Amino acid sequence: MRNEMMYRPVVDKEVVEFLRNEQKPLDGSLGEIECQANKDGVPIIPHETVVFLNLLLGQIKPKQILEIGAAIGFSSSLMAQHVGDDGHVTTIDRFDVMIKKARKNYEVLGLTDKVTLLEGQAADILSTLEGPYDFIFMDSAKSKYYDFFPDCMRLLRKGGMLIVDDVLQGGTILAPKEEIPKNRRTIHRKLNAFLDVVMHHPSLESSIVPLGDGLLMVVKQDDTDFSYMIEKKV
């Protein structure tokens, strides 16, 4: 389950070490879960992204959050700290092992009433959701970002923010496809197609932050329908 690309940083190794090890650690049980996951090589968001999300969510204060890719429930638990008494986090995952660990972590953290974990394929579940959500965090199969994006925009409220993790593929996102191993070319092709839409569309404000393996931030400016992407083959 180790995410190889997280160990191919897109900035200097010394800078990554500083961002990962010198910024304020999380307190309490959530901090313990983060430390144990890092020791075990469990694929959670790196600490520099943790610190960034903590700061960002503390400022924008979303009430309704959707996450695609729960893993062990760490990032959804982090986000749940910021939704207030009347807010909620909905997250999706399809892997039984991860789902079991996530539910255990929600119990430990006292978040069973604050986080709803939907089990199954995101492709099937997203179309059933109605929203709107103030904030969406997508950290799932990278080859599916393009496919999931239209539903994310449908579910996100106008002015809401979508953050997509791991979009730079250890810096290889810029490499010619001939240099990409054959088993990763689908990810490479579809991520580039996804970025081409998101970075240039007039209805979106977007920025890539070089944290972890690249954090894409997107703000929805209007109610443009992106469903055309579903039929387009990339």
Side-chain angles (χ1 to χ4, degrees):
M1 298 300 294
R2 171 173 165 156
N3 181 0
E4 176 189 345
M5 293 303 180
M6 271 188 57
Y7 298 90
R8 299 177 61 178
V10 294
V11 296
D12 290 344
K13 180 180 178 180
E14 292 77 12
V15 175
V16 172
E17 291 296 320
F18 176 77
L19 294 176
R20 240 164 238 193
N21 300 320
E22 298 301 326
Q23 298 197 79
K24 185 187 297 184
L26 294 176
D27 296 327
S29 297
L30 189 58
E32 293 173 7
I33 291 171
E34 180 187 22
C35 288
Q36 191 61 51
N38 288 329
K39 287 178 182 178
D40 295 341
V42 176
I44 64 170
I45 54 176
H47 191 65
E48 63 269 31
T49 302
V50 171
V51 174
F52 178 77
L53 284 180
N54 242 351
L55 179 64
L56 177 66
L57 294 172
Q59 295 301 308
I60 65 176
K61 296 178 172 58
K63 292 297 183 184
Q64 296 297 323
I65 294 178
L66 172 65
E67 177 187 52
I68 307 169
I72 65 168
F74 172 72
S75 50
S76 47
S77 297
L78 177 75
M79 293 187 288
Q81 316 295 318
H82 295 281
V83 297
D85 293 338
D86 55 343
H88 199 80
V89 177
T90 301
T91 186
I92 303 169
D93 211 286
R94 64 189 178 94
F95 294 108
D96 291 341
V97 173
M98 292 297 184
I99 289 168
K100 183 177 180 180
K101 291 180 178 179
R103 293 199 184 281
K104 179 179 178 181
N105 285 332
Y106 298 146
E107 289 179 9
V108 168
L109 296 166
L111 294 174
T112 53
D113 292 333
K114 193 59 96 177
V115 181
T116 297
L117 174 53
L118 304 177
E119 302 180 25
Q121 297 281 357
D124 299 326
I125 293 173
L126 285 172
S127 62
T128 70
L129 301 179
E130 296 183 2
Y133 295 95
D134 305 305
F135 186 87
I136 299 177
F137 183 60
M138 183 155 59
D139 187 13
S140 57
K142 315 315 167 196
S143 63
K144 297 296 185 181
Y145 286 173
Y146 183 96
D147 304 317
F148 295 162
F149 182 71
D151 268 322
C152 286
M153 288 297 100
R154 176 183 63 84
L155 293 167
L156 190 65
R157 69 167 175 81
K158 182 179 177 181
M161 181 180 293
L162 164 70
I163 286 190
V164 186
D165 200 18
D166 299 331
V167 297
L168 295 181
Q169 288 292 282
T172 64
I173 193 68
L174 303 177
K177 69 177 182 180
E178 294 77 15
E179 297 179 10
I180 304 299
K182 289 185 178 180
N183 64 342
R184 293 188 190 142
R185 286 184 183 175
T186 297
I187 295 175
H188 184 264
R189 182 180 73 253
K190 295 192 75 172
L191 262 181
N192 270 287
F194 170 64
L195 290 174
D196 187 57
V197 171
V198 174
M199 297 297 290
H200 300 102
H201 201 284
S203 296
L204 307 171
E205 290 291 338
S206 59
S207 177
I208 295 178
V209 181
L211 295 172
D213 190 25
L215 208 60
L216 172 67
M217 306 173 65
V218 182
V219 174
K220 177 179 174 179
Q221 301 282 48
D222 58 39
D223 290 320
T224 294
D225 184 359
F226 287 89
S227 60
Y228 70 89
M229 294 172 62
I230 298 172
E231 303 300 327
K232 188 176 180 181
K233 302 296 183 183
V234 297

